[in-house]
Structure formats: C-alpha cells, structure tokens
Amino acid sequence: MGRFFDRFTYQGEPGEKEPEQTHPDMTVAFVGNPNCGKTTLFNALTGSTLKTANWPGVTVKGKEGSYDFEGNRMALIDLPGTYSLTSYTMEEELTRSLVYSGTADIIINVVDASCLERSLYLTLELLALKKPVVVALNMMDVVEKRGLEIDIHRLAETLGAPVIPISARKRQGLQPLMHAAYHHKECGLDPILHEHDFDDGMAQKHAENVMVYTRELEDRIDNVQAALEKNFPNAPNPRWIAIKLLEGDKTLCKEYPLEIALLKGGVQSGIEAQGAPESAQQKSLEQRFIRERYDFIQDIIHECVFNNHAVALRSDKADRILTNKYFAIPIFLAIMGLVFFLTFFIGDAIKGVFEQGLDAFDGWIEAFLLSLGASDWVVSLLCDGAISGVGTVLTFLPNIFILFLALAFLEDSGYMSRVAYIMDSIMGRLGLSGRAFIPMILGFGCTVPAVLSTATLESRRDKRRVMLVSSFMSCSARLPIYILFSGLFFAHFAAFVAFSMYFFGIVMALFTLSLLHAKDKLGKAKGEDEGRLLIELPDFKMPDAYSIWVYVWEKVKDYIFRAGTVIFVSSLVIWILLNFGPTGYLEEDYATSFAGYLGHFFAPALAPFGSGDWRIAVALLAGISAKEVVVSSLSVLFGVSGAAVGTTTLSASLASIGFGPANALGFMTFVLLYVPCIAAIAAIRSESKSLKFTVQTMVYQMVTAWVIAVLVFNIAQALGL
Amino acid sequence: MKLSEGRIGKSYKILNFEKLAGSTERRLESLGMTPGTTVDILNNKSYGTIILRLRESRYAIGRTITRHVSVEETEGPSLLPLKTSAHLSQKLASRARESADKREGKAHG
C-alpha cells in the first residue's frame, strides 16, 4: 500500500500523539465507483476544494476533510473511485486495505442509483468485509426523472445495511445520511432479510452473509475456510479470505499460503471445456464467483427496482452524433475552437478593463510614494518591479478563468471521456491509449495537472511519453506571451497566430510520440504494453455548478497565489538583478547590471532564431521560474510600466532592436517548446520518480525548442516576414 | 468472431478472452463482462474501437482489447425487462434442481 496509505493510518490508533481536540470522534470513508458522484458529495459535505472529474481514476490519492455532526467531529476520507476490491490497481489496493484494516469506523458506499447493477458489485464486496457500511443511494434526482422506482426499504433489508436516498448535486438527503452514518457505528450490522425460498440447506449462511454462493462454490469455500482456520487461527474474516484465495488474489495468496490442491480444480460453468489447463480452471473459478455475484445483483434488482426500461436514451442519442465516425472529430475541433474563442476574445475584452485598472493603480501608488518623499529606488522597486510584474500577470486572470471554466464544463458534462474514445484512433497509431489524450488536453490549462493526471494511465511507458510531450500542449501561462507578441506584430491576424501556436504545439507533441512509436516498432515487438482503452462513458449531464466553481476557484486561487509568491519574488529578484550591478544601484542602465551580464552571456545562443537580445535572454531565463514572468520581465526590461501606454512602447522598443514578425515567430516557438516552469519540472520528477528521466525530458525539450525555433525563424525570414 | 468485428446495434454474447493481459481481463470481469454476458454494441469505428453497453453502463473499449474477446451474435438487446431475464430463470431452475438433489440424497442416506 505504501505511501498513499501512510497518511491515513494514524487515525486507526486512538490515544496516539494526536492532540485531544483535533482527534475526530469517528472516521468515515467514502467508497464508490468512478463517476458515482462521490467527490461531489464529499465537496458538499466538507466544502473542501476538491476536484471532481468525470472520468475514472482521477482521484488517485485519498483526500481528507472534516464534518461536524451535532458537535461531533467526523473525519471524512475520500477514496479513489474503484469498481471492485481486487488487488490489481493502486486504487483498489488502497481502498481495500483501508476498509479491511478498520481505519475507518464507517464506510459510506456511494452508489449511483441510476445504474445499480454495476454499482452493487462493489457494495457486495464491501459487505463481504463485514465492516459497518451505509449505502448512499446517489443520483435519486436522475432516477426520478427517468421514472425508475426503487424499493429502498427492501434494498436495505436485502443488503443488511442502511440505504439512504440522496442527491449530492441537489444537496438532498445529506443530513439523514450523516445521521445514519453516525448511529450505524453503535448499532453494528443490521439483520439480513433475504427472500430465501430456496431450500438449499444453508439457512445459517444466509442469516450471516449477504452473498451466499451456490452449493458447489460454498462447499469449496468451507473447505478452504476450514484449512485457513486451522493454519492461521488469527486470520480475521476467514470466509472473505477463503473466497479471495479461491479467486486467486495475489496479495492474500502470499499472505496465507495454503495447499494448492484446495484451491485448484475447475468448476462447471457450462462454457469452458472440462480438463482445461490449471490456469484456465483457476480463471473459470474466478469468473464463476463474479458471475454469481452479478446473478445475485440481478435478483436484488428484480426485487427492488421497477420500471427499469428506457435507460439513458438521451445520452445514447447524443453519443450517436458526438462519437460518430465522421462527425466526432470535426465536432471535437469545433468545441475546442469555441473554448479558445471564448478564452481569446471574451477574455481579452475583460482583460482590457483590468489593464486600465492596473495603470490607474500603479500611477496612484507612484504619486502617493513620491508625495511621502520616498527615494527613487523604492518607488522603482514597488512600481516597476512588484506592481508591474505581478499586475501584468494578474491582468490575464480573465483568460485563465474562462479557459478553466470551459475545461471544467467539458469535464463535468461527461464529454471529456468521449474524447478518449474519439482520439483512440489517433492515439492508437501513436501506440498510446485514447485516454492519454486527456492529460494532454489538460496541458492547455497547466502542465502541472497534466503531468499529475498521467497517474491515471496504466502503463509506465504511456505515462512517461505523455509527460514528455505534455508541456508542448501550450499551457495557459504561455498564452499572455502569444497574445502580447502576436498582438504586436500580426495586428489583424493576432488571434490566428496565437491559435496556430497551440496547433503547432500539438503537431510537435504528435511528432515526438510518433518518433517514439516508430522506435518501438523497430525495436522489439510491441506486445502487451500497448495502450489499452477501457473507460466508462457516463451519462451526459448538466454540470454541477458547485463542482465547477470549486474546480475553477482552485485554479484561479492557485494562479493568484503564484502571482503573489513565485512571481512576486521573481519580479523582485529580476528587478534587483536589473537595477544592481557590480557597482551597486544603477539608474536605468540595465546593460551593466547583473542581469545584463547573464543576458549578454546567453544571448549569442539565441541569436540563430532572432532573439539574440540580452533582454530577451533574461526574460527567457526568468521564464523557467514561471512562464508568466516572461511577459512581466519583458515589460520591466523594456521599461514598459505604469502610466506609460503598454504595448506601443514595447513595440517601439522591440522595433528599435530590429525585432520583426519573423523574430516574434521564432521567439514564440522557442517559448512554446522550451522547458516548462519549475513547478512542472518538479511534478515530472515526482510523478516519474526518476531524476534521469526528468533531466532527459528537459534536454529533449531544450534541444527541440532551439532547433525548431531556428527553423521557424529562417523559414519566416525567407518568406519575407 | 471477435468483439472488434461486432456491428452497431447488435448484441453479442461473450465467449472467452484470448491472449489478453491478465490485469485487463480481470478489470473487464469485475465490470461484469464474464463469459456468458450479453453486451450491446452502440458504436464501432471500422478498426474495432467500440462503445458497448454492459450491465446498464456504457464503456469505450479500445481495439487492443476487443480484438482479444471472442463473442457470438445473440438475439435482442441485453436490456430485457428483468422479469424475463435469462439469468434469473436459469438460476431459479438450478437452485430448484439442487434442492431436489439434496432431498433425494437424504432419502437414500
């Protein structure tokens, strides 16, 4: 279980170092399928800033929050979405060990009432662990809309656990749910009241267990359980372990080694041939268990669910168009186009207002400081350094806000997981799963979440490839640079040029991936590790406003926070580097400052793509701390700030050093492709767990950026730009 | 035939998995895609990346998986009204048989 699990374990041992007042009265874990609305529920209860994502597996790590129930503090744990409790993925392993170890006092199993058949599978697995479970029957609003009717009372009897109907999106039933969770701890397990008219001679088992298998399987369970109790008298919940051993669970087989003769041997399943090899027999045994569970679930549904016809017809119809062979990709491109239209045009309009406000503020502060008799360098530090640097970055808030709003909307509506399907053809040709496209789209927002979301990909190879190219998907922090430069040099075509930078980034990413794929093909056979798409397509739904708000606010807050910290500090450092030299404070003579020396040193290397000016070199260096800094430091370096009318001055300054459209293209290309910011590099390092890979990635990005920028610059010049 | 060759709008019964990585197979199975289960194909791009309905949920599955799943065409969608569910009637029958066998066993003993 490793590091994911460590942070939870302390709650299991009461009376540890934890201070009295912060120790929760009880711990509640939320378990459910991906897309069951678990995170929405968790957000609603904790008001925490968690991200809900509409594709499986995005909550890779558990999250914590707290809830106050009538003066009792409950610690809430949000576990990653999982479909079952086998031990084949990190999510399953984490969920299983947390439930099994008793770390959580109560498990709230969030169930999507609109697709009970699949959801109850996890419920049965949880109940088999014999821990207190409360079933939160979510999406009751959807169920009502579809005309489905559920006999909740009977469902609770059959499962032997309280079932509380809720709607996380509408914030309905939350109080009763937490009430049930609180009291369920004391009440223990409810009696199980099946309709047992089958005279199978296993009445005792039916009374004790929710799920009783057919005689044949039960006999085998009994045999294994007996052997287990003899060899491992202290094993908790021997029945569950016995079942898992029969299913060939790797973790438990290691923990409780029993004679193989007990476990092997096929069962009649009607499909597999008798006398199949051992591995096939084992497989058929596991399949038999799974099938019996699903059969039992169908029994439950037969008893408790009515009017279960027309399921999700609207989503099916929408899918027929949105995932159509011919329309899917044009629609996808149109949607992405719309996203960028909103980001560029609407965002820029609001940005204009922000800029005016910033100018006014800067001018006001300058006048104020001068009236106090502050010395020149203090005024310059504050106005040219801090306010100009941070302020310029903040004026891009509208663009960032709109971009993340759009991404969150696509994510929450269910469209993003369709993208995985739509892109599977293209990604498949690159040897990746269609799912790998999602982290790449996130890269348009910010490279950091893109890199972090590669954790949802299954193969290490896919992960690393996506990490390598995710920064080519131009992040939102680079957007200001394109807007600025394309605005300066491509007046009427500004939006087109800025958009084509994004397009170019995609091309470079695909090019890199296909190079790697070609290398694979030349090398050994592609085999098992090839990308595999397996993703649930949830029903389309109107996104939950609160979840979107939580998501967007988190991003915006992060952006503002970075403006206040990393960017503030870098602005000051850059200001100091610029205004101080070996001879002390300089007045407006950047060329002999520390930064000037650094810039002069690196400038020759940038000359081949037309950015051989030391000031640009300084801005690019500063851009490694955060891409937003490129624009802010350029504006400081070229003395554009405060009351001066921004862009025209910068344009004039750039023109005076012979910087034209071709240079701008070369510069923008370099910015697009060169190493991402420190935060993204750190994310790559932590996600790949390899310093070597991180360094390789950076080297590749630098070399690619330089080569391509040189090409672009020279081609543009040859074309007479 | 293979699942990747399935046609849109038709229903197929899963027969078995061939040369599929163990972990992928287990994931499919825990979603309820065990041999004998019926799936409806909702969409299929020519190269075998499909969208199917399995136990009331929709999944997109890549061709690297669908090429390794053997199926046979079956009649009607899997979403029959539950009262006529084949699974249920089969199960009822088998349980009845079981209990009959047991009674018989007792009588002999």
Side-chain angles (χ1 to χ4, degrees):
Chain A
M1 42 220 97
R3 65 195 175 94
F4 292 113
F5 192 58
D6 289 343
R7 50 191 294 233
F8 295 123
T9 44
Y10 74 88
Q11 284 153 331
E13 289 90 41
E16 256 196 278
K17 288 165 243 164
E18 291 294 307
E20 207 58 39
Q21 68 272 27
T22 60
H23 195 80
D25 296 318
M26 63 189 292
T27 305
V28 182
F30 287 74
V31 182
N33 292 163
N35 300 312
C36 68
K38 185 167 54 66
T39 306
T40 307
L41 173 64
F42 193 77
N43 280 346
L45 288 170
T46 59
S48 103
T49 53
L50 271 178
K51 183 170 166 299
T52 327
N54 216 345
W55 62 80
V58 90
T59 332
V60 179
K61 295 168 190 176
K63 307 232 166 107
E64 289 183 40
S66 72
Y67 181 79
D68 187 80
F69 179 77
E70 292 170 3
N72 300 291
R73 203 176 89 78
M74 295 165 126
L76 308 189
I77 304 172
D78 186 26
L79 287 170
T82 171
Y83 292 110
S84 69
L85 291 185
T86 49
S87 54
Y88 291 97
T89 66
M90 200 61 164
E91 291 88 11
E92 290 173 353
E93 181 82 45
L94 168 67
T95 306
R96 190 167 99 176
S97 24
L98 193 122
V99 174
Y100 188 52
S101 67
T103 301
D105 298 311
I106 290 284
I107 291 120
I108 292 187
N109 174 213
V110 187
V111 158
D112 180 352
S114 66
C115 56
L116 268 183
E117 185 166 352
R118 193 205 53 222
S119 311
L120 286 179
Y121 187 82
L122 180 64
T123 310
L124 286 187
E125 292 222 85
L126 286 170
L127 289 168
L129 283 165
K130 297 264 167 76
K131 303 285 175 188
V133 173
V134 173
V135 176
L137 204 57
N138 194 15
M139 313 251 184
M140 286 307 285
D141 50 329
V142 180
V143 165
E144 265 167 46
K145 220 186 258 171
R146 282 198 202 149
L148 235 91
E149 286 178 291
I150 300 176
D151 182 348
I152 291 162
H153 185 70
R154 186 75 190 111
L155 186 59
E157 278 180 357
T158 326
L159 295 175
V163 177
I164 314 293
I166 66 162
S167 167
R169 290 207 305 150
K170 298 199 164 165
R171 319 273 176 273
Q172 283 164 353
L174 304 192
Q175 286 280 340
L177 176 66
M178 297 318 281
H179 183 264
Y182 184 73
H183 288 290
H184 193 53
K185 188 191 171 190
E186 298 153 20
C187 300
L189 300 174
D190 289 7
I192 304 159
L193 302 168
H194 295 301
E195 182 185 299
H196 288 305
D197 45 1
F198 309 118
D199 176 21
D200 57 5
M202 300 191 285
Q204 184 63 26
K205 279 188 171 169
H206 282 296
E208 286 167 4
N209 301 292
V210 177
M211 175 76 215
V212 177
Y213 300 88
T214 49
R215 182 105 226 166
E216 191 185 357
L217 288 186
E218 283 295 340
D219 286 347
R220 303 200 55 170
I221 295 170
D222 287 346
N223 288 341
V224 175
Q225 194 178 334
L228 186 76
E229 278 166 345
K230 207 174 97 195
N231 292 320
F232 303 92
N234 295 325
N237 199 349
R239 178 181 159 86
W240 179 73
I241 296 172
I243 294 171
K244 286 290 162 190
L245 290 178
L246 282 166
E247 284 186 84
D249 186 276
K250 279 192 189 118
T251 313
L252 287 167
C253 279
K254 257 181 231 154
E255 208 173 324
Y256 300 102
L258 287 179
E259 287 167 67
I260 306 193
L262 270 173
L263 302 176
K264 72 178 180 190
V267 285
Q268 284 181 312
S269 69
I271 286 154
E272 296 81 9
Q274 288 292 314
E278 252 172 55
S279 61
Q281 288 180 353
Q282 177 68 57
K283 214 165 75 181
S284 76
L285 189 57
E286 191 191 359
Q287 286 170 351
R288 174 80 180 266
F289 272 105
I290 294 173
R291 203 159 52 238
E292 287 203 7
R293 276 181 213 132
Y294 272 108
D295 284 353
F296 179 55
I297 290 169
Q298 289 201 328
D299 281 355
I300 297 176
I301 289 176
H302 174 57
E303 270 199 52
C304 306
V305 183
F306 304 92
N307 287 335
N308 192 13
H309 302 290
V311 175
L313 285 178
R314 272 168 57 199
S315 282
D316 285 353
K317 269 184 198 158
D319 264 338
R320 227 164 280 158
I321 300 165
L322 290 174
T323 60
N324 180 285
K325 215 170 172 179
Y326 306 105
F327 302 145
I329 288 179
I331 291 175
F332 172 59
L333 288 180
I335 289 176
M336 289 321 280
L338 180 70
V339 170
F340 288 111
F341 169 81
L342 293 172
T343 310
F344 281 99
F345 288 87
I346 313 291
D348 279 1
I350 310 171
K351 177 168 162 275
V353 180
F354 273 54
E355 274 172 342
Q356 286 172 1
L358 175 70
D359 280 355
F361 180 71
D362 203 23
W364 184 77
I365 291 285
E366 191 169 350
F368 176 71
L369 286 173
L370 287 174
S371 76
L372 287 182
S375 61
D376 274 1
W377 72 269
V378 172
V379 176
S380 171
L381 172 68
L382 272 172
C383 294
D384 302 338
I387 298 177
S388 166
V390 174
T392 312
V393 169
L394 286 182
T395 57
F396 288 98
L397 263 182
N399 304 88
I400 308 291
F401 177 80
I402 293 174
L403 180 68
F404 278 114
L405 194 68
L407 285 178
F409 191 89
L410 290 180
E411 208 176 288
D412 212 38
S413 66
Y415 185 69
M416 278 291 210
S417 50
R418 269 75 182 179
V419 172
Y421 171 76
I422 296 165
M423 297 312 290
D424 195 54
S425 49
I426 293 173
M427 301 307 284
R429 259 168 236 164
L430 301 169
L432 295 175
S433 132
R435 205 160 151 179
F437 200 74
I438 292 171
M440 287 168 70
I441 291 190
L442 285 184
F444 288 127
C446 175
T447 311
V448 177
V451 168
L452 295 179
S453 68
T454 57
T456 62
L457 302 176
E458 276 146 66
S459 83
R460 200 184 80 134
R461 202 197 61 155
D462 280 20
K463 273 182 205 176
R464 294 200 161 184
R465 295 203 171 167
V466 173
M467 275 189 245
L468 178 65
V469 301
S470 60
S471 80
F472 290 168
M473 314 310 272
S474 188
C475 75
S476 56
R478 295 176 205 210
L479 177 60
I481 305 166
Y482 309 144
I483 294 179
L484 182 70
F485 276 80
S486 53
L488 286 178
F489 294 97
F490 301 94
H492 295 300
F493 303 102
F496 173 75
V497 171
F499 184 80
S500 56
M501 291 318 293
Y502 278 81
F503 185 73
F504 193 59
I506 300 173
V507 170
M508 279 311 297
L510 298 185
F511 174 71
T512 304
L513 290 173
S514 57
L515 260 181
L516 288 168
H517 190 46
K519 200 187 98 194
D520 281 355
K521 276 190 175 163
L522 284 177
K524 47 194 178 311
K526 20 186 187 152
E528 289 295 336
D529 215 18
E530 219 177 322
R532 290 173 191 288
L533 177 73
L534 175 53
I535 190 170
E536 191 197 343
L537 303 182
D539 281 347
F540 284 110
K541 63 169 202 273
M542 196 56 202
D544 173 41
Y546 184 73
S547 289
I548 289 198
W549 164 247
V550 165
Y551 177 75
V552 174
W553 173 235
E554 186 190 8
K555 300 293 163 197
V556 167
K557 208 171 59 182
D558 186 52
Y559 189 80
I560 297 173
F561 176 76
R562 271 151 42 81
T565 53
V566 181
I567 296 162
F568 177 72
V569 171
S570 358
S571 297
L572 291 187
V573 168
I574 290 165
W575 183 86
I576 289 166
L577 286 175
L578 280 171
N579 288 281
F580 285 85
T583 56
Y585 180 66
L586 310 162
E587 292 259 354
E588 307 283 318
D589 185 18
Y590 301 137
T592 57
S593 66
F594 291 121
Y597 287 111
L598 275 176
H600 285 295
F601 177 75
F602 283 107
L606 311 181
F609 60 89
S611 296
D613 188 83
W614 64 272
R615 285 167 288 199
I616 294 176
V618 173
L620 286 173
L621 274 177
I624 297 175
S625 66
K627 289 289 170 287
E628 295 91 333
V629 177
V630 174
V631 167
S632 60
S633 54
L634 276 175
S635 59
V636 174
L637 285 159
F638 286 98
V640 191
S641 69
V645 185
T647 50
T648 42
T649 322
L650 183 56
S651 179
S653 315
L654 284 169
S656 72
I657 58 163
F659 201 88
N663 305 61
L665 279 181
F667 175 74
M668 285 193 285
T669 309
F670 189 78
V671 166
L672 168 72
L673 302 174
Y674 88 126
V675 288
C677 65
I678 291 285
I681 295 170
I684 293 176
R685 168 78 181 85
S686 74
E687 206 55 56
S688 68
K689 298 181 190 73
S690 159
L691 184 63
K692 191 180 156 208
F693 173 77
T694 312
V695 172
Q696 281 172 347
T697 304
M698 288 169 65
V699 169
Y700 176 76
Q701 286 162 338
M702 278 314 258
V703 171
T704 315
W706 192 85
V707 171
I708 304 293
V710 170
L711 278 176
V712 166
F713 173 65
N714 284 300
I715 292 170
Q717 254 192 342
L719 292 174
L721 279 172
Chain B
M1 68 181 284
K2 297 283 177 278
L3 187 58
S4 54
E5 298 154 19
R7 280 181 299 148
I8 300 174
K10 301 277 176 198
S11 300
Y12 296 88
K13 194 164 101 183
I14 307 295
L15 294 180
N16 58 355
F17 305 106
E18 284 165 15
K19 294 182 205 152
L20 192 60
S23 59
T24 312
E25 190 180 319
R26 278 169 203 267
R27 277 188 62 200
L28 288 172
E29 282 170 0
S30 63
L31 294 174
M33 197 159 138
T34 49
T37 317
T38 302
V39 297
D40 308 330
I41 295 201
L42 302 177
N43 203 342
N44 185 357
K45 302 199 209 177
S46 43
Y47 34 77
T49 302
I50 62 169
I51 296 182
L52 57 75
R53 182 165 37 223
L54 165 70
R55 300 186 189 270
E56 294 177 27
S57 304
R58 228 175 290 112
Y59 302 93
I61 304 184
R63 103 191 116 138
T64 44
I65 295 174
T66 56
R67 274 195 307 217
H68 298 288
V69 181
S70 295
V71 294
E72 69 179 17
E73 195 173 330
T74 176
E75 273 175 31
S78 66
L79 270 180
L80 286 173
L82 281 159
K83 299 210 164 154
T84 61
S85 148
H87 277 302
L88 191 74
S89 47
Q90 253 174 28
K91 185 171 177 181
L92 285 171
S94 79
R95 287 207 174 169
R97 219 177 304 125
E98 251 169 48
S99 55
D101 288 351
K102 213 190 81 208
R103 254 178 262 125
E104 213 172 289
K106 264 186 200 158
H108 284 290

